Amino acid sequence: MATDAGHPGRTNEDFAGAVPSGMVLVDGAGGIAGAEKVCHHGVTWYASRLGGALLGTLSQDRSLRDVLAESIERITDEHRDTCDVAHSISPYAAVAMLRFSGGLVEHLVLGDAVVVVSRAEVEPFVAHDPREVVIARSFEARLKGIPEGSDEYRRLLLELRAQRNSPGGFWVAKDDPRVVDEAITGSCPADEVTATALLSNGASRLVDTFGLTGWAGLLHLLETDGPGEIIRRVREAEIRDGVATDDATIVCRS
């Protein structure tokens, strides 16, 4: 497991953890200017509380969708009375989960996190949801050149946030447990699996943004050099290409 904050002086908003029955990664996001007035707990609190709830219920004999829905509802209830949990700039998160049980390796992805499963003698299986990336890229050109913190910058960010958890938009963990219906799920026989990994979108950039290796190559690097090396290479590429950094987290098992 490895993680690195993308912004010096700011708290890492990713969470990752593992228990014998599986692994969880929560990539927290949300607040723009004024978010502390909406939710005084913050993104890191939301991500760590949601991640802890998921780990605590992962071994239960229930679908991964049900595990996630219950955890979203539980954490939302923890701050429903003190924060505006439904506000467009309140904390939210992408989620990736793996569970090892009953001879299966089960996966769930909600948002732009990534699950990678290595299988003997075939290409790795990759579970990801491109909807947020596609929508966010459409806003990048509109935001280019607009001063961060300006009224126009904030207006465009709010417009982007309005695409979240709505038909035609993208889906993440926030305050409504019904979003789990949009999660990507599946399973494969455990005896076919040789290694697994969960990555936040800040770590998966090595493949899906910079194209410096494929998913098989990423799994090989994890095996030979560890997750910290993946993140180091991402940071090098960000500097070289002038790409804004992001929190980067990987949890893997072989």
Side-chain angles (χ1 to χ4, degrees):
M1 191 183 304
T3 187
D4 182 64
H7 307 279
R10 280 177 49 182
T11 304
N12 190 334
E13 295 172 344
D14 288 351
F15 170 94
V19 292
S21 58
M23 310 187 300
V24 167
L25 186 147
V26 180
D27 182 353
I32 59 177
E36 67 283 352
K37 298 176 183 177
V38 172
C39 175
H40 68 267
H41 294 95
V43 176
T44 301
W45 176 89
Y46 182 81
S48 61
R49 294 293 292 173
L50 181 61
L54 292 170
L55 287 174
T57 54
L58 196 58
S59 62
Q60 294 182 4
D61 186 19
R62 306 167 61 203
S63 73
L64 290 182
R65 279 196 173 98
D66 286 345
V67 168
L68 178 56
E70 179 187 300
S71 297
I72 290 172
E73 188 166 22
R74 183 192 310 175
I75 303 311
T76 300
D77 286 345
E78 288 186 9
H79 69 141
R80 191 186 302 277
D81 294 338
T82 58
C83 306
D84 187 353
V85 297
H87 197 286
S88 62
I89 62 174
S90 65
Y92 67 95
V95 175
M97 303 164 61
L98 279 166
R99 180 166 63 188
F100 318 110
S101 65
L104 294 174
V105 175
E106 301 173 83
H107 67 267
L108 177 149
V109 173
L110 182 68
D112 60 1
V114 179
V115 170
V116 186
V117 177
S118 176
R119 299 171 295 168
E121 300 180 1
V122 295
E123 286 297 305
F125 171 79
V126 181
H128 64 107
D129 185 344
R131 286 177 287 188
E132 182 174 358
V133 173
V134 170
I135 291 170
R137 282 177 178 167
S138 71
F139 279 81
E140 288 177 1
R142 298 170 65 187
L143 287 167
K144 194 171 184 179
I146 298 176
E148 189 170 345
S150 66
D151 289 344
E152 178 63 8
Y153 191 91
R154 179 182 173 85
R155 186 191 68 77
L156 287 172
L157 283 183
L158 288 173
E159 185 179 335
L160 173 60
R161 297 295 194 274
Q163 304 290 315
R164 182 186 51 212
N165 294 351
S166 62
F170 61 94
W171 303 84
V172 291
K174 192 174 177 288
D175 59 297
D176 186 352
R178 292 174 295 180
V179 298
V180 301
D181 291 339
E182 296 288 336
I184 294 169
T185 62
S187 64
C188 64
D191 57 9
E192 296 179 1
V193 175
T194 58
T196 58
L198 308 179
L199 300 93
S200 68
N201 68 332
S204 66
R205 287 178 168 186
L206 193 72
V207 176
D208 55 31
T209 298
F210 300 118
L212 296 176
T213 187
W215 296 112
L218 181 140
L219 288 167
H220 179 70
L221 280 171
L222 286 175
E223 181 181 358
T224 58
D225 298 299
E229 175 62 14
I230 302 291
I231 295 174
R232 187 191 69 78
R233 295 189 184 197
V234 168
R235 297 297 183 230
E236 283 186 346
E238 289 167 342
I239 293 170
R240 183 191 64 235
D241 293 357
V243 174
T245 56
D246 191 12
D247 299 335
T249 301
I250 305 171
V251 54
C252 53
R253 170 176 168 173
S254 59

